Amino acid sequence: MKKIIAANWKLNKTPNEARSFFESFHKLLTPLKSSNEVVFFPSSIALEATQQMLKGSTVKFGAQNIYSKASGAFTGETSAEMVKSLGGNYALVGHSERRQIFGETDAICAEKVKFLIDLNMTPLLCIGETLEQRNLNQTKAVCEKQIKEGLSKVTGPEANAKVVIAYEPVWAIGTGVVATDEQVKEAHLQIFNYLNTLGFTSVPLLYGGSVKADSAKELSQIAHVDGFLVGGASLEPGSFSQIIANS
Ligand code: PGA
């Protein structure tokens, strides 16, 4: 089955740095002949450079964050329409850094998911527990709440095949600690089952958190792991193309 391999560049790469990344990346990707869907999330300021560099390729891109209004007096924000006007068709929603640092709530996520779906764009909704929540055995409850509330403004028929979920345990993000195969297997099965009970029967489920080429190889064998959301290892063309090849 085709996997989705997504690069979250976070607050990294100027437009020129994005251009030189893609120059190298194209050379590495072409011989791979991978059928996986590849998506880049550059910073907003590098979206246009990304669009220019991806012209004519099947690689997709989107924004790390959008505001759930088309336009208006919202200083500092980027609208989904603006991203779409450049040809971007994805946006991250509810990444743990946005939840923790910028106070993004489940209610805000729900607005953004709805807004993107109405524009025929793909929200990549990020969920996952903190270490403290895992130690308190709250992983399942936390993920289910984030899914239930984040998808509360869309229905299964609307969102199936449009929404993507990324399970990213917060303790595994940027720490070099990857969740074990067992932990990923358990969480993905629970999330898959829960999505089904809500009527979301064809929502791809990505894993994120310190994914590297080696771990991608192992994790992609696990049931209900439909791809990866990659931070640190997506900043280098070599390591990211290796993850695509191994998935
Ligand atoms: P990481 O980031 O791969 O650097 O852990 C993943 C993410 O934050 O999406």
Side-chain angles (χ1 to χ4, degrees):
M1 188 189 148
K2 176 168 117 173
K3 307 240 187 220
I4 300 172
I5 316 298
N8 176 9
W9 281 354
K10 310 191 181 187
L11 190 51
N12 294 291
K13 294 200 193 292
T14 62
N16 274 343
E17 287 166 347
R19 281 188 196 97
S20 59
F21 174 96
F22 286 117
E23 271 164 21
S24 312
F25 180 72
H26 283 316
K27 290 185 197 130
L28 296 167
L29 188 67
T30 313
L32 277 183
K33 294 201 179 13
S34 165
S35 58
N36 291 332
E37 171 143 322
V38 178
V39 190
F40 281 89
F41 294 97
S43 70
S44 292
I45 204 146
L47 277 170
E48 192 163 2
T50 299
Q51 178 243 349
Q52 287 162 358
M53 296 303 291
L54 293 179
K55 229 177 238 165
S57 109
T58 55
V59 175
K60 302 213 160 67
F61 68 95
Q64 292 173 18
N65 181 41
I66 52 101
Y67 189 57
S68 50
K69 290 280 187 291
S71 59
F74 306 105
T75 302
E77 294 298 311
T78 303
S79 73
E81 276 87 348
M82 289 170 178
V83 178
K84 197 174 174 179
S85 76
L86 279 179
N89 30 28
Y90 275 81
L92 295 181
V93 177
H95 187 280
S96 66
E97 287 149 18
R98 294 223 50 94
R99 291 178 190 265
Q100 291 189 329
I101 306 169
F102 302 102
E104 198 157 309
T105 61
D106 287 322
I108 293 173
C109 292
E111 293 283 348
K112 293 181 179 183
V113 166
K114 169 81 176 138
F115 205 81
L116 287 159
I117 293 285
D118 286 350
L119 279 175
N120 212 14
M121 293 173 72
T122 295
L124 202 170
L125 176 66
C126 304
I127 61 163
E129 81 289 357
T130 61
L131 188 56
E132 193 186 4
Q133 289 165 333
R134 174 163 281 269
N135 291 338
L136 291 168
N137 280 327
Q138 293 172 347
T139 300
K140 184 170 183 283
V142 168
C143 291
E144 291 186 352
K145 178 177 181 288
Q146 290 174 338
I147 290 173
K148 187 172 183 191
E149 295 185 11
L151 299 184
S152 61
K153 291 190 177 291
V154 292
T155 61
E158 265 180 312
N160 276 325
K162 276 202 212 156
V163 169
V164 176
I165 303 264
Y167 169 61
E168 299 203 299
V170 178
W171 47 271
I173 294 179
T175 57
V177 180
V178 189
T180 64
D181 290 4
E182 269 317 301
Q183 287 169 327
V184 174
K185 191 174 165 189
E186 185 183 28
H188 277 238
L189 180 61
Q190 279 170 355
I191 295 166
F192 174 82
N193 287 337
Y194 185 64
L195 283 166
N196 272 289
T197 63
L198 296 181
F200 298 104
T201 49
S202 54
V203 171
L205 185 49
L206 316 188
Y207 169 80
S210 298
V211 172
K212 305 274 182 298
D214 288 352
S215 43
K217 198 170 208 166
E218 267 188 53
L219 293 170
S220 59
Q221 306 302 318
I222 297 173
H224 312 302
V225 173
D226 303 313
F228 301 107
L229 179 56
V230 186
S234 72
L235 294 172
E236 290 297 323
S239 52
F240 190 55
S241 54
Q242 202 54 54
I243 290 173
I244 298 167
N246 285 359
S247 300

